[in-house]
Amino acid sequence: MIFEPTDVQLFKQKALAWANTFDTMCYLDSNNYADPYGKFDALIFVGIKQEIDPKNGENFEKLANFRKQNPGFITGFFGYDLKNEVENLSSNNVDGLHFPDLYFFAPQITITINKNTVEIIGENEAEICQKLEEFEPVDSSGSAPSVDLQSRFSREEYINAVEKIKAHIVRGDIYVTNFCQEFYAENADIVPLSIFNKLNSSSPTPFSSFFKWKGNYIICASPERFLAKRGNQLISQPIKGTARRDNDSAVDQRIKKELRNHPKELQENVMIVDLVRNDLTHSAKPGTVKTAELFGIHSFKQVHQMVSTVVCEIRDDVSAVEAVKNTFPMGSMTGAPKISAMQLMEQYERSKRGVYSGAIGYFSPDDDFDFNVVIRTLLYNSAEKYLSFHVGGAITYHADPEREYEECLLKAKAILGVLQIPPVYPLS
């Protein structure tokens, strides 16, 4: 069923509130960012027609079989720790969330939104449309969430760890890595959809998502695309390089220019671009891997980001699922050399990344797909009342440990804001 609502933004709010009444759903929103590779302004997947059993490993093989059985839309996430299936690695750090490494479902109902056009796919489409028109959006202006936030690292511990990581770089063990820290709260009491609405308002990004399944929630304001397939083309857009926004336009432009010319930011970006180019060769037709954009500065409400775009033509013998596996985990969240960096971070980090550093997205009926990088994200296990978010930064030879810590706080600013926690909190 295809129609044009009078107010698309209000329709999205109603549809999201309605979808949230189901046990399992996924909402993906581009927030109207101009994207030459985007196919949908928003996607809403509701209810389970079929799902993957996330137990007992062999996740990529299970997903490949699941995809063959469900050639329409499917949606889900890849957790970072699938690295242990791709390479001979392990994850033994603290895990307070207990999310699976992979979860996908085929939805009973799919709602696609493009500009002013909405399409509902599923049974009883007219009835669903009527329900959506009558549904009330969620009021997200309620009381503050009850959250006692803690950190796995003190400021001093984080800085000392960065110094030790830099020593590995000096020795030549790695060139660049992504070092992450967790902020968490036990006995946390939040209203997940209200938190998402506030986060999406304060930090609208092109890969925002709200994923709910069986009492677990992913509340995501990601600006980064991991990997997309458009016809015979694969597209990856790694982000390396972050700078704050300023209300003064002249100052803001100066900050933007400084980011574009900062030696450390350029160094880490080009290293990851080289890594992504190498990852794509495993799926690409020979000679087709190209850097379509290098060091592009993309501005979002909270930050400026340095974004590069790498593309290739996918080989005829590589399936969509294989293309994801061949590049996973994404280079922007690992480092180079990739395996050595992941091994080292397992030693220095103090918590399991889980869905953080993974990807959320969809496979579509034409066998295209689009997956983000799970950053700037709250993760919540409502049964155990455990709330978590990670922030990370690229560590290179030129990294300033104190500045890296400050960059972590900058990346956490929007999340701390919606939790109504002063941004100075982690400095204490």
Side-chain angles (χ1 to χ4, degrees):
M1 179 178 179
I2 300 175
F3 63 99
E4 293 189 4
T6 54
D7 185 333
V8 171
Q9 191 60 37
L10 179 59
F11 176 84
K12 285 201 294 187
Q13 294 170 1
K14 288 183 174 184
L16 176 55
W18 171 77
N20 189 49
T21 64
F22 288 74
D23 182 65
T24 300
M25 53 79 62
C26 175
Y27 175 80
L28 307 173
D29 193 351
S30 72
N31 285 297
N32 300 315
Y33 274 91
D35 177 6
Y37 305 108
K39 290 179 71 169
F40 304 98
D41 290 341
L43 285 166
I44 308 173
F45 303 104
V46 183
I48 298 173
K49 185 163 59 177
Q50 193 173 348
E51 65 181 339
I52 282 183
D53 179 359
K55 298 176 183 176
N56 302 324
E58 299 180 345
N59 284 286
F60 281 106
E61 183 179 341
K62 283 194 293 189
L63 178 59
N65 291 330
F66 185 77
R67 182 66 184 139
K68 289 175 184 176
Q69 297 164 13
N70 296 275
F73 276 109
I74 63 171
T75 184
F77 62 81
F78 301 94
Y80 171 78
D81 298 282
L82 286 171
K83 66 183 175 63
N84 306 332
E85 291 188 24
V86 178
E87 306 290 350
N88 184 23
L89 298 168
S90 61
S91 300
N92 300 306
N93 287 322
V94 171
D95 177 16
L97 287 161
H98 311 298
F99 287 3
D101 288 336
L102 178 146
Y103 178 74
F104 274 80
F105 70 95
Q108 294 173 328
I109 303 156
T110 297
I111 301 173
T112 70
I113 303 173
N114 267 322
K115 295 185 171 62
N116 296 320
T117 302
V118 172
E119 181 176 9
I120 299 175
I121 305 167
E123 296 182 4
N124 304 316
E125 294 166 355
E127 182 181 331
I128 292 168
C129 183
Q130 183 65 32
K131 286 181 180 178
L132 292 176
E133 287 296 330
E134 296 171 353
F135 218 84
E136 289 296 323
V138 168
D139 181 3
S140 299
S141 61
S143 58
S146 175
V147 175
D148 180 17
L149 198 66
Q150 303 176 66
S151 174
R152 297 286 176 194
F153 287 86
S154 68
R155 184 176 186 275
E156 293 72 23
E157 288 170 336
Y158 179 89
I159 289 170
N160 289 338
V162 172
E163 293 285 9
K164 291 177 181 177
I165 292 167
K166 287 184 66 176
H168 285 281
I169 295 172
V170 171
R171 287 199 297 269
D173 299 334
I174 54 173
Y175 307 115
V176 59
T177 193
N178 195 292
F179 176 47
C180 303
Q181 59 173 320
E182 182 192 24
F183 297 94
Y184 68 99
E186 298 171 316
N187 299 313
D189 188 10
I190 69 169
V191 180
L193 182 53
S194 177
I195 293 292
F196 171 77
N197 285 335
K198 290 177 181 177
L199 182 61
N200 199 41
S201 175
S202 66
S203 184
T205 56
F207 298 98
S208 295
S209 57
F210 181 74
F211 198 109
K212 170 189 178 184
W213 84 105
K214 299 170 186 174
N216 301 303
Y217 296 86
I218 304 170
I219 302 165
C220 178
S222 174
E224 183 173 358
R225 172 179 276 122
F226 159 43
L227 191 68
K229 177 178 175 287
R230 297 291 177 251
N232 69 343
Q233 188 178 55
L234 296 177
I235 305 104
S236 184
Q237 294 184 290
I239 289 178
K240 279 292 163 225
T242 304
R244 69 177 181 88
R245 297 298 307 266
D246 196 278
N247 292 329
D248 184 313
S249 60
V251 174
D252 195 56
Q253 285 301 311
R254 189 187 75 231
I255 292 170
K256 188 175 177 179
K257 185 176 180 181
E258 288 172 352
L259 174 62
R260 177 59 182 82
N261 295 289
H262 195 286
K264 186 260 182 184
E265 308 288 14
L266 295 171
Q267 179 190 49
E268 68 182 61
N269 192 287
V270 78
M271 284 181 179
I272 298 308
V273 166
D274 285 344
L275 176 56
V276 171
R277 286 173 60 91
N278 182 70
D279 282 349
L280 286 179
T281 61
H282 300 300
S283 305
K285 292 180 179 178
T288 66
V289 178
K290 295 179 173 59
T291 304
E293 181 184 33
L294 186 64
F295 307 144
I297 304 300
H298 296 205
S299 297
F300 305 97
K301 189 172 180 179
Q302 298 284 342
V303 292
H304 298 294
Q305 303 275 198
M306 187 180 289
V307 183
S308 293
T309 301
V310 186
V311 300
C312 74
E313 291 181 28
I314 187 171
R315 292 201 320 269
D316 295 337
D317 63 325
V318 176
S319 71
V321 172
E322 286 174 320
V324 174
K325 182 180 179 182
N326 289 344
T327 53
F328 196 85
M330 62 289 299
S332 62
M333 299 306 295
T334 59
K338 200 170 187 179
I339 295 174
S340 299
M342 289 190 287
Q343 288 172 329
L344 273 176
M345 292 309 94
E346 184 67 22
Q347 294 177 33
Y348 284 98
E349 293 174 3
R350 295 180 176 177
S351 49
K352 184 178 177 180
R353 292 194 192 179
V355 177
Y356 174 78
S357 293
I360 299 171
Y362 68 88
F363 293 91
S364 58
D366 58 5
D367 213 32
D368 278 0
F369 62 76
D370 205 355
F371 287 92
N372 72 2
V373 178
V374 180
I375 53 177
R376 324 287 160 84
T377 297
L378 277 162
L379 306 170
Y380 184 52
N381 181 324
S382 66
E384 299 184 25
K385 293 191 175 298
Y386 187 88
L387 182 70
S388 166
F389 71 92
H390 280 74
V391 284
I395 311 301
T396 68
Y397 175 79
H398 295 291
D400 178 332
E402 292 193 11
R403 178 170 172 168
E404 291 303 320
Y405 188 80
E406 296 300 327
E407 185 175 305
C408 284
L409 299 188
L410 175 61
K411 292 172 179 175
K413 181 181 177 182
I415 288 176
L416 293 171
V418 299
L419 294 178
Q420 300 190 28
I421 295 170
V424 296
Y425 167 82
L427 290 171
S428 61

